[in-house]
Amino acid sequence: MPLPVPNAVGFSFDNVAGSFAISRRGFLAGLGAFSAGALLPGCTTTSSPSGRPHRIDVHHHFVAPTYSASLKARGQGHISWSVQKSIEDMDKSGIATSLTSLIQPAMAIGDVPGNRRLSREANEYAAKIARDYPGRFGSYACIPFTDTEGALKEIEYALDTLKAEGFCLMTSYGSKYLGDPAFFPVLEELNRRKAIVYVHPLAPQCCAAILPDVPPATIEYAVDSTRTMASLVFGGGAAKYPDIRWIFSHSGGTTPFLLSRFIRQEQDMKGEAIKRMPNGVMHEYKKFYYETAQGHHAGALDALLRIIPMSQILYGTDFPYRDGAEVNDGLGS
C-alpha cells in the first residue's frame, strides 16, 4: 500500500505558477517533517494530490561562474550545469524547491584570500538564483571552513544578509574531519545560530587512488561520510554542539552497516565515552538527518530505518550528477 504523500511541512503554496514559497523560518521549523513525505519506498506518485510539484530536494548542486573559472584555472573540469537544466529536471520529477550547494570540492582546497572571495561570490550567486526564481530555490551557503575568521564572517553575511537556509560543508578538509577540535570555534557559532548544515563527501586525502579501476566517488565518498560522522560523535562535537541540524548525504554512506562496531567502540572507550557522548553513541546518530541521493534503494533505506524514523530521511537527487527520475524510480520500487 503506498505511503501518504503530505505537503511539505514548513512550506506554503504560492498561488502564482503553483510553486512553493519558501521561508527560512518555515524551512527550519519543518526540517524534520517535510522530507519523508516527499517520497518513500512504496510511494509511486510523482505529484501531490493537488497535482502540484511537492518534493523538496536537499541535495541539488549548482556552479557559480567565478568558481567554475577557478576550477578551470587549476586544470579541473566539472560537470555541465545551468539554472534552466535544474528547473527542467525539477519539473519532470515533481520537485517544487531545491536547496542548492556548490559542487565539490568547494572550499576544501585553495588559499585563504581566494576561498573568502569565492565563498562570497558563490553565495551571492545562489541568493540571486533564489530571488530570480522565487519559491524554486533555497541555498546552502559555502564558507572557508578552515579559516576561522573568514568562516565566521561568512556565516554572519550568509544568514543575516543573504538569508541562506543553511550551510554546506565537505566531509574532510585535508587530513581533518568535521569533528576535529580545530573546527570547534566555527561549530560553536553554527550551534549558536541553530544552523542547518548539509555535509557532502569528497575523495579523502588518504584514499584517493587505492583502486585504479574504481574511482573514489564509487566507494570513498560513502566511507568519508561515515568517517566524518564518527569524528563528530566520538570526538565529542556532536554532543557539544547539539543545536546544529546535520544532514548527511547518500543515506549515511556506510554508517548503518557499522553500528555494531560503533557501539563496541563506545564500550571500549569507557569513561571517556561518557565525557564525549554523555547520552550515548546511538543518541547522536539518531539525531542526524540523512538524504536519499544514491542511497535510494531498499538495502540502504531498510538499514537506515533501523536507526531513525522516516521523518529524518530527506529527499535528495544529487543533480546534475544524477536526476530526479533515478531517485523517484528507486524509492518507488
Side-chain angles (χ1 to χ4, degrees):
M1 178 178 177
L3 293 168
V5 188
N7 292 334
V9 175
F11 293 77
S12 59
F13 281 119
D14 175 0
N15 290 328
V16 179
S19 63
F20 281 94
I22 183 173
S23 70
R24 182 169 178 269
R25 178 179 295 179
F27 180 73
L28 291 167
L31 176 64
F34 76 76
S35 53
L39 190 67
L40 290 169
C43 179
T44 58
T45 58
T46 57
S47 63
S48 67
S50 68
R52 301 173 187 237
H54 65 291
R55 298 186 177 102
I56 293 86
D57 184 358
V58 303
H59 183 168
H60 191 105
H61 294 294
F62 78 105
V63 184
T66 52
Y67 177 69
S68 173
S70 76
L71 290 180
K72 290 175 182 176
R74 296 187 187 112
Q76 292 181 240
H78 62 76
I79 195 165
S80 174
W81 171 87
S82 69
V83 176
Q84 289 70 31
K85 288 180 180 179
S86 282
I87 291 176
E88 180 181 349
D89 190 70
M90 288 163 64
D91 289 344
K92 286 180 181 178
S93 304
I95 297 167
T97 304
S98 290
L99 282 296
T100 58
S101 53
L102 197 65
I103 61 170
Q104 65 272 15
M107 304 305 124
I109 60 173
D111 60 278
V112 168
N115 281 348
R116 289 187 182 190
R117 175 180 58 81
L118 287 172
S119 293
R120 178 63 55 90
E121 290 170 349
N123 294 338
E124 289 182 336
Y125 182 68
K128 182 179 185 301
I129 294 172
R131 290 194 303 270
D132 289 347
Y133 300 89
R136 300 310 304 269
F137 295 99
S139 69
Y140 303 121
C142 54
I143 57 177
F145 189 59
T146 60
D147 163 24
T148 300
E149 180 182 357
L152 295 177
K153 287 181 178 178
E154 198 60 28
I155 289 170
E156 179 182 21
Y157 183 75
L159 291 180
D160 296 345
T161 301
L162 299 180
K163 309 301 181 184
E165 278 65 49
F167 298 91
C168 176
L169 298 179
M170 299 293 106
T171 46
S172 54
Y173 292 80
S175 62
K176 290 184 170 61
Y177 285 83
L178 297 184
D180 192 292
F183 301 140
F184 279 9
V186 181
L187 296 186
E188 183 175 4
E189 177 62 8
L190 293 170
N191 185 73
R192 186 183 74 82
R193 295 278 196 154
K194 296 181 170 58
I196 294 162
V197 178
Y198 165 67
V199 181
H200 194 281
L202 41 65
Q205 192 176 72
C206 68
C207 313
I210 292 179
L211 298 175
D213 297 322
V214 182
T218 303
I219 296 175
E220 292 304 325
Y221 276 28
V223 177
D224 221 45
S225 289
T226 298
R227 289 191 187 104
T228 212
M229 279 187 265
S231 79
L232 285 163
V233 172
F234 289 100
K240 187 177 178 68
Y241 305 111
D243 290 332
I244 297 174
R245 265 75 64 85
W246 295 100
I247 303 173
F248 291 97
S249 294
H250 308 140
S251 293
T254 59
T255 297
F257 309 99
L258 297 176
L259 285 179
S260 65
R261 296 175 182 267
F262 294 151
I263 292 169
R264 180 57 183 266
Q265 176 64 16
E266 178 186 21
Q267 294 167 350
D268 291 346
M269 289 173 68
K270 299 178 181 178
E272 190 63 27
I274 295 174
K275 287 195 292 185
R276 297 184 187 182
M277 303 170 285
N279 297 308
V281 66
M282 288 308 300
H283 173 82
E284 303 305 333
Y285 281 103
K286 287 180 178 179
K287 284 177 58 181
F288 296 152
Y289 295 85
Y290 304 81
E291 61 84 23
T292 61
Q294 301 186 50
H296 51 269
H297 53 90
L301 291 169
D302 286 350
L304 191 56
L305 284 167
R306 302 278 180 165
I307 310 170
I308 58 169
M310 288 183 181
S311 60
Q312 283 171 249
I313 300 178
L314 315 189
Y315 177 89
T317 67
D318 208 350
F319 187 85
Y321 297 98
R322 304 293 179 95
D323 61 17
E326 177 184 315
V327 179
N328 296 350
D329 289 346
L331 291 173
S333 63

